[in-house]
Every structure is written in structure tokens, then in C-alpha cells.
Amino acid sequence: MNRNTDKNNPHRYDDMLDLPHHQSSTRPHMSMANRAAQFSPFAALTGFDDKVMETARLTDEKIELSDTEKERLDKKLRFLSNHLDEHPTVSVTYFVPDAKKAGGAYTTNTGIVKRIDTVEQKIIFYAENMISDGWSVSIDTIVEIE
């Protein structure tokens, strides 16, 4: 029996150990990085995890204020309007619609009121330098002013 055909012979490939490594004459040598890339996992569902996370993210519904609550906010706005020269600092809780799905979130920011724009229906706050306009809040999104 030939030692190269005997499957139990641990030395059946000894004659090949000293042969030179084959190099293709028609194809260029592949780099190790490209060779490794062949075996990287395939992401068939690219972006799926992001979609699942977005779907699972909770949003709040916008609260519709009662007439009593609207009157209370209107009184606070009139008070602010009459005291703008004192540069009042207020905390405003307001609804910010979500850009990607229905609903949104309630946010509370504090700042110094610069003016109340009755045409645009916004409260405009000072920037940190107290010279230019900073941020603004649409009056119809406000649920609380403190």
C-alpha cells in the first residue's frame, strides 16, 4: 500500500511540505486586508437596528389646555409684557414636535425675556450676551410659565 493513499498515515503529505507556495501568473496577489474582508459578516439588514430603535422610542402627545389654563397663561403673558423693562427670568415648559414620528416631547427652558412678538406669537429670549435674540418659543406650544 502506498503511503500517500493510506488515510491513516500521518506522513502522507510530507512530500508537499517543501514545495514553493503557488502564485497565480494571471491574477495579482491579494493583500491580507482584502483576503480578510472576504470573510467579514454580511449585514443583510443594514439600518434595521436603527429602525427598531426609532420605532421603540416613545413620544408624548400634545396636551390641549382647558379654557381655564389658557386664561391663566394669558394672565402670565400680560404680566410679562408689562414688565419687560425689568428683564424677567422665566421658565417655560413647551411642546416640541418630533421630526420623525407623531407626537413630541415637553421641554423646559429658562431664560431672560427680551420681547413678546404678538405678530409671530412668540416669546423671544435674550442670547447669553444679552444683546441679540437667543431662542424663542411659540406661544401656542406653551403649557406652563413660571
Side-chain angles (χ1 to χ4, degrees):
M1 181 178 250
N2 187 348
R3 77 176 194 176
N4 289 340
T5 58
D6 182 9
K7 293 185 180 190
N8 294 326
N9 183 358
H11 301 287
R12 66 177 180 248
Y13 297 114
D14 286 352
D15 59 333
M16 298 168 68
L17 291 176
D18 295 326
L19 292 176
H21 180 72
H22 173 72
Q23 293 286 337
S24 173
S25 59
T26 58
R27 298 192 184 270
H29 184 68
M30 184 182 285
S31 71
M32 291 300 268
N34 287 343
R35 188 179 304 252
Q38 294 181 85
F39 303 103
S40 63
F42 175 66
L45 299 175
T46 302
F48 180 73
D49 290 338
D50 294 337
K51 292 286 186 187
V52 169
M53 293 295 287
E54 179 60 29
T55 303
R57 187 172 56 86
L58 299 177
T59 57
D60 295 324
E61 289 187 30
K62 186 176 180 185
I63 298 169
E64 289 298 322
L65 297 177
S66 68
D67 290 337
T68 306
E69 292 169 318
K70 288 179 184 177
E71 287 177 26
R72 184 178 50 79
L73 282 176
D74 191 46
K75 284 181 184 178
K76 290 182 179 185
L77 285 170
R78 282 195 305 272
F79 178 83
L80 281 175
S81 183
N82 292 332
H83 293 88
L84 288 176
D85 55 337
E86 299 171 19
H87 305 294
T89 299
V90 296
S91 291
V92 182
T93 302
Y94 57 97
F95 183 76
V96 179
D98 194 289
K100 295 184 179 181
K101 60 197 287 189
Y106 283 93
T107 304
T108 301
N109 279 337
T110 302
I112 300 171
V113 178
K114 182 174 185 180
R115 68 180 196 275
I116 298 175
D117 187 335
T118 56
V119 175
E120 294 285 328
Q121 292 292 300
K122 291 183 176 184
I123 299 176
I124 295 142
F125 293 84
Y126 279 106
E128 288 183 22
N129 60 14
M130 286 204 46
I131 297 172
S132 59
D133 290 353
W135 52 283
S136 64
V137 175
S138 181
I139 292 174
D140 65 336
T141 63
I142 297 172
V143 294
E144 184 61 56
I145 299 173
E146 293 181 22

